[in-house]
Amino acid sequence: MVEIEIDGQKMEVLEGSTVMHAAEKAGTYIPHFCYHKKLSIAANCRMCLVDVEKAPKPMPACATPVTQGMVVHTKNDKAIKAQKGVMEFLLINHPLDCPVCDQGGECQLQDLAVGYGAGESRYAEEKRIVFHKDVGPLISMQEMSRCIHCTRCVRFGQEMAGVMELGMSHRGEHAEIETFVGMSVDSELSGNMIDLCPVGALTSKPFRYSARTWELSRRKSVSPHDSTGTNLIVQVKNNKVMRVLPLENEAINECWIADRDRFSYEALNTDDRLLSPMLKQGGEWKTVDWQTALEYVANGLKQIKSEYGAESIGTLASPHSTLEELHLAASLMRGLGSENIDYRLRNADFSSSPSIRWLGTSIASLSQLQSVLVVGSNLRKDHPLFALRIRQSVRNGCALSAINSVAELASADAWAMPIANTMLTSAEDWMQALADVATAIAAEKAISAPASGQASDKAKEIALSLLCGEPKAILLGNAAAHHANASSLLMLANWIGEQTGATVGYLTEAANTVGAQLANAMPGGSGLNAGQMLDGKLKAVILLNNEPEFDSAAGTKAKASLNSAQMVVTLNAFKANMSFSDVLLPIAPFTETPGTFVNAEGRVQSFHAVVKPLAETRPAWKVLRVLANLLGLPSFDFESTQDVLKKISDVNESQVPANRLINASRGEIVLSGAAGSVPAVASIYQLDGLVRRATSLQLTNDARQAAAFEGTGA
């Protein structure tokens, strides 16, 4: 520890800290632009100049290391004069367009200019003009003359996103931030550059000129997309979601969010929203009231149950639904006498497990790994924020290994981080690849392997990387979870984990994959799984918040099987499944309903509605409760989502109990897979109904490439 003095306050700080870090600890604010706690030190704005005793001139607080006995003044005449001088230089070329700037009201430069700017400028020459640039559908660079060259956006791309898509060209007055030869910014984390920009140079294209920041209400929420459980600030005006920003939570998403978390709100305000209940009569859709629609559904279910039995009724629920919705959907089915309930729409292996499958470690620990093996995952696109954390581990020396197919890892730099060891093979051979790694470990430890394999050079390299370093992890991705031999992959991974001391876990696909297991939204006894239900074996199907054509392993084949059912009821926020549904019930998306998500590490996060339900839209938990009442089912007298939560075991705390979170698997290891079998995995902007309908996200390079790939029939 080093003892220093800041503005008369003595304190101890860690050796190697900077004056800026010490000031933060002391609660002293030093003005700055280029400094950010998550990025490397650049010291190019000079706004943080402070007076250090015995130093010949003011020193930048962000780049000056502390020394024993250092005395720092941040607010004396010398420091203030230096800071005001820097501000004058920064404003020399800055356009005087605050009234029309989209950053107005939340501009760091504007705020500091009030305190440190002069009333007039001594600069009388022509201001510099920087030509605007088009870098894609998400980020606007129309006013780059406002840029102050803090390079936050450049450093974010290089250090956090892993791709240096923005850089600084030229020197001096001619320097400017731009992409390489007119290319677009395609990172799945690009929206964070907008947040980082301290001026109005980088702004949000979808939000541009739609509202002023002081007009917006700010409400907390949780992302409904991937399993990170990203904390959000949803900004609202006139009962309409206008913008989504990150809510800092160091344990989960730090201060970042993925682009699909940020821009998917566009879907909430599209014409595709379902505003009223609808019935199909004579092949035509008719708008009806809620009472009529729910009675139609209740009477239809009663009739089908009496004619064909309760086992002919089933529910397919989305893992993006809330915990309360999943619990009520499962309770509704079991109240009718059916065990046909499943959330595993994209799975091919439906082996039962007494425990809940999860990440196997905390999200925060992904930033401190020394060795990690990723199996069957497009890590960067499936889980952008997990990839960001693992990227930090790799920057600090972590050995990243991958067992994947070309579809999941198209090139060596596809994940925007160096991969130490790679085994590329078809999905049907992943079990053999893991068995080879297990064989190599067994040879090193002189023990018997769990399955027959060959210790190839690549397998030995992966084995040695897992035997070294601490902590370490084996992570199974979406493709591994949806694999036809998912149980065998898990058993092999568990054996390797036991021998190497690595944690084993699933990255988990959706916002509530863990929560769906907790709510027991899975078939019990002789109940049908999702694959069987989509095979035309049901007379009545309830589709909760999903579109089987896009959200299931059956794909387009699901349409034919659902068309054969006597009644298909769709509960969705959008006009979905219209070609084979008989009833459409408009349910609220995550912004219009309270609910709970359980993320990959088992963290329970409840949230409130941020806006009122649109038109005749109703929260799904209320719809399911009323439907159960009409069916005469007992114990459906819930008044709130809190009442529903009380009925779910192990949800009283903020974390699912450790004794429920076990990635166990049993059975026989099978090394051979069905030839040509490819796990069903959604591309980054096809994951759920919200992102599929977000206009700007569908204009991105990722979305267009996925559409082109699907168009080829591959």
Side-chain angles (χ1 to χ4, degrees):
M1 300 295 283
V2 176
E3 189 176 283
I4 69 166
E5 182 181 313
I6 298 181
D7 293 339
Q9 179 183 348
K10 290 187 177 181
M11 59 185 300
E12 288 188 344
V13 294
L14 286 172
E15 189 175 357
S17 301
T18 64
V19 173
M20 183 70 82
H21 296 140
E24 286 179 346
K25 186 178 178 181
T28 300
Y29 176 73
I30 299 175
H32 59 271
F33 292 111
C34 68
Y35 170 77
H36 190 276
K37 63 183 179 181
K38 293 291 182 180
L39 303 177
S40 61
I41 302 298
N44 49 10
C45 80
R46 318 306 283 188
M47 191 65 210
C48 64
L49 291 176
V50 294
D51 179 24
V52 180
E53 288 189 3
K54 299 180 181 179
K57 59 183 180 180
M59 305 292 288
C62 68
T64 304
V66 295
T67 57
Q68 182 64 35
M70 177 184 277
V71 179
V72 181
H73 302 282
T74 69
K75 295 180 175 64
N76 65 359
D77 290 343
K78 187 177 179 180
I80 296 294
K81 185 180 178 181
Q83 292 162 1
K84 285 187 173 181
V86 170
M87 179 58 72
E88 186 174 7
F89 276 114
L90 288 174
L91 293 176
I92 278 178
N93 280 305
H94 198 81
L96 300 174
D97 62 351
C98 289
V100 298
C101 178
D102 210 40
Q103 193 88 347
E106 52 186 6
C107 175
Q108 206 172 332
L109 180 66
Q110 192 179 52
D111 293 341
L112 292 180
V114 173
Y116 300 90
E120 58 183 354
S121 176
R122 292 176 286 176
Y123 186 78
E125 289 78 14
E126 283 188 14
K127 289 182 179 283
R128 178 195 65 196
I129 301 295
V130 180
F131 191 70
H132 65 81
K133 304 163 180 70
D134 186 1
V135 294
L138 304 180
I139 299 177
S140 172
M141 296 179 73
Q142 293 297 303
E143 290 91 11
M144 289 306 293
S145 297
R146 299 170 183 160
C147 179
I148 62 170
H149 303 155
C150 71
T151 67
R152 279 184 175 184
C153 55
V154 178
R155 285 176 284 145
F156 173 83
Q158 194 171 9
E159 297 166 16
M160 297 296 162
V163 183
M164 190 176 171
E165 295 179 299
L166 292 177
M168 184 179 289
S169 61
H170 313 300
R171 299 184 68 182
E173 186 175 88
H174 303 290
E176 58 182 281
I177 302 291
E178 59 184 348
T179 59
F180 181 73
V181 200
M183 295 178 69
S184 57
V185 175
D186 298 317
S187 170
E188 64 286 353
L189 300 165
S190 65
N192 294 292
M193 298 178 185
I194 301 167
D195 296 338
L196 288 171
C197 184
V199 297
L202 305 182
T203 53
S204 169
K205 263 191 182 179
F207 176 71
R208 191 171 164 84
Y209 297 139
S210 59
R212 286 295 198 180
T213 181
W214 55 82
E215 300 175 318
L216 303 172
S217 305
R218 291 158 177 82
R219 293 156 190 177
K220 298 178 182 179
S221 191
V222 180
S223 170
H225 305 303
D226 63 37
S227 58
T228 310
T230 303
N231 289 199
L232 309 175
I233 293 288
V234 182
Q235 298 190 327
V236 176
K237 179 185 177 183
N238 296 333
N239 202 51
K240 182 179 178 182
V241 176
M242 304 300 293
R243 185 167 62 167
V244 175
L245 297 174
L247 173 62
E248 186 171 348
N249 188 328
E250 194 63 28
I252 301 175
N253 55 295
E254 300 177 276
C255 54
W256 319 117
I257 57 174
D259 284 354
R260 65 182 171 198
D261 301 325
R262 185 184 299 271
F263 297 109
S264 63
Y265 75 88
E266 282 189 293
L268 301 169
N269 307 318
T270 61
D271 294 335
D272 206 29
R273 283 292 302 271
L274 181 62
L275 303 179
S276 302
M278 299 180 79
L279 292 179
K280 187 183 284 184
Q281 297 176 340
E284 293 187 6
W285 285 102
K286 306 287 186 183
T287 300
V288 297
D289 59 78
W290 270 105
Q291 187 70 23
T292 303
L294 288 172
E295 285 180 355
Y296 179 90
V297 174
N299 292 332
L301 291 175
K302 287 177 182 176
Q303 185 177 346
I304 290 171
K305 181 182 176 180
S306 65
E307 288 185 23
Y308 303 100
E311 63 275 7
S312 64
I313 304 171
T315 294
L316 293 167
S318 168
H320 300 278
S321 302
T322 68
L323 189 60
E324 295 85 350
E325 292 164 4
L326 290 163
H327 172 75
L328 288 175
S331 299
L332 177 67
M333 281 296 98
R334 293 186 171 107
L336 285 169
S338 173
E339 286 288 341
N340 303 333
I341 170 78
D342 208 350
Y343 75 93
R344 300 166 296 177
L345 301 181
R346 292 192 176 100
N347 286 34
D349 183 349
F350 297 95
S351 303
S352 61
S353 172
S355 55
I356 295 172
R357 294 174 178 176
W358 68 302
L359 184 61
T361 184
S362 67
I363 292 173
S365 70
L366 298 179
S367 302
Q368 285 90 43
L369 295 173
Q370 288 299 304
S371 179
V372 58
L373 169 62
V374 178
V375 182
S377 173
N378 186 347
L379 181 63
R380 179 182 168 190
K381 301 300 181 181
D382 290 347
H383 301 90
L385 294 180
F386 289 172
L388 185 150
R389 285 189 177 271
I390 293 173
R391 192 172 293 119
Q392 299 312 301
S393 291
V394 172
R395 283 174 61 86
N396 293 327
C398 171
L400 170 61
S401 304
I403 296 176
N404 249 327
S405 61
V406 175
E408 306 299 326
L409 184 60
S411 60
D413 60 348
W415 291 354
M417 65 185 95
I419 303 175
N421 311 295
T422 307
M423 292 180 72
L424 282 182
T425 181
S426 60
E428 63 201 65
D429 294 325
W430 287 349
M431 293 77 68
Q432 187 62 62
L434 266 181
D436 292 348
V437 173
T439 301
I441 292 170
E444 283 289 325
K445 300 187 72 173
I447 57 176
S448 58
S452 61
Q454 184 176 357
S456 61
D457 290 342
K458 288 184 177 180
K460 287 178 181 176
E461 289 170 357
I462 294 175
L464 288 174
S465 73
L466 288 173
L467 287 166
C468 302
E470 198 71 40
K472 59 194 92 175
I474 301 169
L475 301 173
L476 303 173
N478 294 352
H482 303 160
H483 198 281
N485 286 342
S487 297
S488 295
L489 287 173
L490 179 58
M491 282 187 282
L492 285 164
N494 279 331
W495 187 91
I496 294 170
E498 287 170 9
Q499 301 304 319
T500 60
T503 62
V504 178
Y506 284 99
L507 294 167
T508 67
E509 179 186 39
N512 223 9
T513 300
V514 174
Q517 299 173 74
L518 189 62
N520 197 25
M522 295 177 290
S526 58
L528 303 179
N529 58 51
Q532 294 167 327
M533 283 191 269
L534 287 170
D535 203 25
K537 295 181 179 180
L538 296 178
K539 297 296 181 182
V541 185
I542 299 173
L543 301 174
L544 176 59
N545 200 27
N546 65 83
E547 300 166 79
E549 186 178 355
F550 306 105
D551 295 329
S552 74
T556 53
K557 295 177 183 176
K559 290 177 70 175
S561 65
L562 290 168
N563 267 319
S564 66
Q566 288 190 14
M567 186 172 73
V568 178
V569 182
T570 290
L571 285 78
N572 209 294
F574 303 99
K575 297 172 184 174
N577 305 329
M578 298 187 76
S579 62
F580 49 77
S581 293
D582 299 287
V583 188
L584 298 181
L585 301 178
I587 61 169
F590 80 106
T591 52
E592 299 169 19
T593 179
T596 303
F597 291 138
V598 185
N599 71 358
E601 66 178 4
R603 188 184 294 262
V604 180
Q605 299 186 106
S606 294
F607 55 91
H608 297 288
V610 300
V611 292
K612 295 177 182 176
L614 187 64
E616 292 297 310
T617 299
R618 297 290 182 267
W621 73 270
K622 287 188 177 181
V623 176
L624 291 166
R625 182 201 64 190
V626 175
L627 183 57
N629 293 336
L630 290 172
L631 288 165
L633 304 181
S635 303
F636 276 87
D637 52 350
F638 307 108
E639 295 295 326
S640 67
T641 52
Q642 284 75 26
D643 292 342
V644 181
L645 276 181
K646 290 175 184 175
K647 293 289 185 180
I648 308 173
S649 58
D650 300 325
V651 193
N652 299 323
E653 305 295 331
S654 60
Q655 182 74 28
V656 178
N659 63 348
R660 296 291 309 277
L661 299 171
I662 303 172
N663 292 313
S665 185
R666 52 178 183 258
E668 186 179 346
I669 295 175
V670 179
L671 297 183
S672 59
S677 62
V678 179
V681 181
S683 61
I684 184 170
Y685 299 132
Q686 291 292 319
L687 181 63
D688 57 61
L690 273 174
V691 295
R692 282 197 291 271
R693 292 172 172 85
T695 309
S696 298
L697 291 179
Q698 296 307 316
L699 295 173
T700 59
N701 194 40
D702 277 326
R704 288 186 282 108
Q705 283 184 358
F709 181 77
E710 289 172 5
T712 63

